[in-house]
Amino acid sequence: MASSVAATAAQAYTYTRPSGLDEGLLGLSTSGGTTGSGPQAHPYFFSGVLTQAAPAAAALLALADVAQTRYFQPRPTSFRDPVVTCNGDRIRMESFSACGGVYARLDVLEPALDGEVHERGTTNVDVNGPLREALARVGGSDPLHLAVGAEELAVTTVDGAVVEKKVPLPDRWLRGFAEVQVITAGFDLRGELKGPDAVRFLRSLPRGSRGPLWAVPAGRTLRATSRPAAGAVCLAGPDRLRTMLPLLRFARAMRVYGPSAGDGGGPVSSVWELELPGMRYVLTLSPQHSRGFSGEGAVLDALSTDEAAGDADLVGALLSFEPRVEPDLLAERSGLSLERTKAALVQLGTSGRVGFDAAEAAFFHRELPYDPARVADLNPRLRSARTLVEDGAVRFTGEDAAVVLSNGTERQVRFEGDRVTCTCPWWFDHRGRRGPCKHVLAARMVRREVAVEAAR
C-alpha cells in the first residue's frame, strides 16, 4: 500500500471560473503555469477566432475522451485536464489516457487562428461536463471565438467563486510525458494517405482487437496484417485509434510515423496523425495494449549522465516557447557543440520541458505544469542503478566487461560497440527494447566516471 501512495500525488487545479461555450465564445479557463515572463496563477494566452469551429470542437472532444479512457482493463477513472501550450503561431493541447498507453495532442495551427497572442507558455485548462456537451453541438462553418485564459477582472464571478479540483496524478502518467517524446524523436514518416483512403483504412480495422497488427503500405493505402514485414508500422490495439473516427468527416490526410521497420524486434510504438483543416490531431500508441509509456526506459540513459544534465540547464535557459526548437541556433547561442546540444534537448525532454513533433521532425518548448524533479526521482531502475554504484557493486573485469553484484547474484555486462548486453532476466526478456536494465545503467555510470577521471 505504501508504494501505491508514493506512486501517486494529488494535482490541484484552481480556475477562476469553469470553462464554457456561451453565445459563440469558447472560454478556456487556465490554472497555474509557466510563461515567458515567469510563473503565473492564471495565464492569459490568446483571444481571437477559431476559423474552423466544427473540427476544432470535435478534436477537443476527442482529446478529452482519451484523457478519461483506460484502454487496458476499463473502469471509471478521474479526469485530468489537458496541458495547453501557446507557442505563438499555434496552440498545442496534450493529454494521456488514464492507463498511460495513449498520448494525444491537438495542434491548432496558424491557419485556424485569427487573433492576438497575449503570452506564450504552458498551463492546464479546465474541461468539464457542460463544456463537453456544448462542444458536441458545434457544427456548421461559422467561426468560433476563443479565449485561452482571460484578463483577471473579466473572469472573476460576482461572488468571487473559484473552481478547484484535486485529481490523483500517478507517476506513470508524468513519466509517460517524458518517455514519449524521447521515443518518437527517432521516428520517420512511414506512410501517407489522402483523406478518403484514410477513412477507408480506419473503418476497415477490426473492432475489439487488442493484439498488435502491422500496417503495410499497399498502393495509395495501408493494409493491416497480423505479422510484421519490411516497411510496416506497428498498430498495437487498433481500438485505441477510435477517437479519430468522429474526425474523419474533416480529414484531409493521415500520416503514420514509426522506427526503422523490419528488424523483427516485435511490437513498437507508432504515431498516427490526422490532418484537419488548419489542425493536426495526433495519437501515439505504446507497443502493446497493456503497456503504458512509463516503463519503456527510453529516458534512462539521458537521466543518468551528469554532462547532459549540466548542458540541459544551459540550453533550457535559452528556450522561449518556440514552436520549433532549432538545435543549430541553440548550439551557436550556448557555445556547445551540435552533438551536445541535441543531447541536452533529450535531457530536457526527460523532465517534460520539450516535446517532439513528428510532423515537423522538431522539438518544441513547453513546461509541464508539474514538478519535473519527480520524473527523474521516481524512476525505479535509475534509483536502483544509483544505489548499485554507491554500494560499489560494479567491478570492471576488462575494458568492455563488468560484473555487477545485485541481490547476491553476479550479472555480467558486456559493451559491444553501441550494443550492451546483460545476463539478468530483464535483459533476457526485453533485449534492450524497453531501455537498459539497472545493471547496464550502473555499469555505464561507472564507465563514464572512469573516463572522466582518466581525462583529467
Side-chain angles (χ1 to χ4, degrees):
M1 181 65 69
S3 61
S4 175
V5 173
T8 303
Q11 174 70 18
Y13 305 118
T14 302
Y15 303 100
T16 52
R17 68 176 182 185
S19 294
L21 177 56
D22 183 36
E23 297 182 355
L25 171 62
L26 173 59
L28 298 178
S29 293
T30 61
S31 185
T34 302
T35 72
S37 56
Q40 291 188 20
H42 305 286
Y44 183 24
F45 287 145
F46 177 85
S47 60
V49 170
L50 278 171
T51 61
Q52 300 290 336
L60 183 53
L61 273 175
L63 189 83
D65 285 344
V66 170
Q68 69 171 12
T69 302
R70 188 183 298 275
Y71 293 95
F72 181 63
Q73 297 179 340
R75 63 178 183 268
T77 184
S78 55
F79 182 82
R80 299 171 184 90
D81 288 338
V83 174
V84 174
T85 300
C86 180
N87 288 125
D89 68 342
R90 67 197 66 187
I91 295 173
R92 302 182 191 267
M93 306 183 186
E94 303 173 86
S95 192
F96 256 95
S97 63
C99 58
V102 179
Y103 163 77
R105 192 179 77 243
L106 171 62
D107 294 343
V108 184
L109 306 173
E110 193 171 19
L113 293 171
D114 184 9
E116 182 179 357
V117 174
H118 300 279
E119 185 71 272
R120 298 186 184 203
T122 308
T123 186
N124 289 104
V125 295
D126 172 52
V127 175
N128 52 65
L131 173 64
R132 294 183 59 170
E133 292 175 7
L135 288 172
R137 296 191 295 267
V138 173
S141 57
D142 292 338
L144 187 66
H145 293 274
L146 171 67
V148 183
E151 293 175 306
E152 185 175 357
L153 291 177
V155 302
T156 302
T157 57
V158 174
D159 58 0
V162 298
V163 178
E164 293 184 344
K165 303 179 184 179
K166 285 191 177 180
V167 181
L169 199 65
D171 295 319
R172 67 177 183 275
W173 201 79
L174 290 179
R175 284 161 50 197
F177 265 112
E179 293 278 353
V180 74
Q181 80 278 342
V182 177
I183 293 171
T184 57
F187 287 6
D188 294 313
L189 179 65
R190 301 294 173 187
E192 183 170 3
L193 282 64
K194 293 183 179 178
D197 297 316
V199 170
R200 282 191 287 270
F201 172 74
L202 289 174
R203 287 181 175 166
S204 72
L205 293 174
R207 294 189 177 185
S209 173
R210 292 194 169 195
L213 298 176
W214 277 262
V216 182
R220 297 181 305 173
T221 187
L222 296 172
R223 177 173 53 88
T225 69
S226 58
R227 298 190 178 189
V233 177
C234 183
L235 174 51
D239 63 302
R240 296 191 291 175
L241 295 181
R242 66 174 179 260
T243 56
M244 286 186 166
L245 296 179
L247 306 179
L248 291 180
R249 67 187 187 274
F250 308 112
R252 293 181 173 178
M254 183 175 73
R255 298 177 186 89
V256 187
Y257 305 83
S260 298
D263 60 2
V268 292
S269 299
S270 56
V271 176
W272 300 76
E273 171 201 311
L274 206 60
E275 180 187 335
L276 309 172
M279 286 165 269
R280 292 193 291 258
Y281 179 72
V282 181
L283 295 177
T284 302
L285 308 183
S286 65
Q288 293 178 346
H289 195 281
S290 59
R291 238 161 91 180
F293 279 101
S294 63
E296 291 306 288
V299 305
L300 290 173
D301 281 329
L303 284 173
S304 66
T305 60
D306 293 331
E307 180 184 65
D311 291 346
D313 289 339
L314 174 58
V315 171
L318 300 174
L319 298 177
S320 56
F321 293 99
E322 301 92 335
R324 288 176 55 92
V325 174
E326 302 292 349
D328 291 336
L329 180 59
L330 281 177
E332 181 180 338
R333 294 174 62 194
S334 66
L336 300 174
S337 67
L338 182 59
E339 181 180 357
R340 286 178 62 180
T341 301
K342 289 180 177 179
L345 286 172
V346 173
Q347 176 83 12
L348 289 167
T350 65
S351 60
R353 297 192 62 194
V354 297
F356 188 79
D357 184 351
E360 299 187 4
F363 287 102
F364 60 89
H365 181 205
R366 56 113 144 88
E367 301 275 349
L368 290 182
Y370 316 119
D371 181 5
R374 289 179 61 198
V375 178
D377 292 344
L378 295 172
N379 196 300
R381 267 182 277 169
L382 184 61
R383 289 203 313 272
S384 296
R386 286 173 173 162
T387 299
L388 289 172
V389 173
E390 291 167 1
D391 292 345
V394 181
R395 173 172 53 89
F396 271 81
T397 58
E399 185 177 351
D400 298 319
V403 175
V404 182
L405 181 61
S406 176
N407 298 323
T409 303
E410 290 188 342
R411 303 299 183 187
Q412 309 292 325
V413 176
R414 293 193 62 83
F415 295 84
E416 302 168 357
D418 293 334
R419 186 169 180 265
V420 188
T421 61
C422 183
T423 57
C424 72
W426 172 272
W427 193 269
F428 180 80
D429 289 342
H430 303 293
R431 307 287 175 170
R433 290 190 296 271
R434 299 191 68 177
C437 63
K438 62 183 179 181
H439 314 105
V440 167
L441 274 174
R444 281 177 171 161
M445 291 178 188
V446 172
R447 199 184 198 205
R448 279 193 293 267
E449 289 176 2
V450 170
V452 170
E453 288 297 326
R456 289 177 178 171

